[in-house]
Amino acid sequence: RVHRLAAICKAGLGHLGFTVRTGAFFDTLVVETGDRTAAILARARVARINLRELDGASLGLSFDERSEE
C-alpha cells in the first residue's frame, strides 16, 4: 500500500511537470522543485504536510502507513 501511494504520487508529479529524481524507490521520492521550493514548502506547512528540504531546488517526501490518498 505504501509503495502504491508513492508510485501514484510520482506519476502525478510527472504529469504536473516535476522531475522526480528517484529511480528505484519504496516510500520516498526526491522531487526537483527549482525556484518554486520555498513557495511549495510554505503551502505544505499551512496544509500540515511534512516535506524535507534537501537543497534550494529539491524536496523529499515520504509515505508511511498513515498516508492517505
Side-chain angles (χ1 to χ4, degrees), residues 3-65:
H3 174 71
R4 181 177 59 83
L5 290 174
I8 290 168
C9 183
K10 181 180 179 182
L13 288 166
H15 283 16
L16 291 172
F18 290 96
T19 299
V20 179
R21 289 195 316 220
T22 312
F25 65 95
F26 176 70
D27 63 353
T28 302
L29 302 173
V30 175
V31 183
E32 293 181 11
T33 50
D35 60 357
R36 298 178 283 184
T37 303
I40 292 169
L41 278 172
R43 290 181 68 187
R45 285 186 186 114
V46 169
R48 299 182 50 89
I49 297 171
N50 188 23
L51 300 177
R52 184 175 66 250
E53 185 174 9
L54 301 174
D55 55 42
S58 60
L59 297 172
L61 59 140
S62 297
F63 295 85
D64 65 17
E65 296 79 16

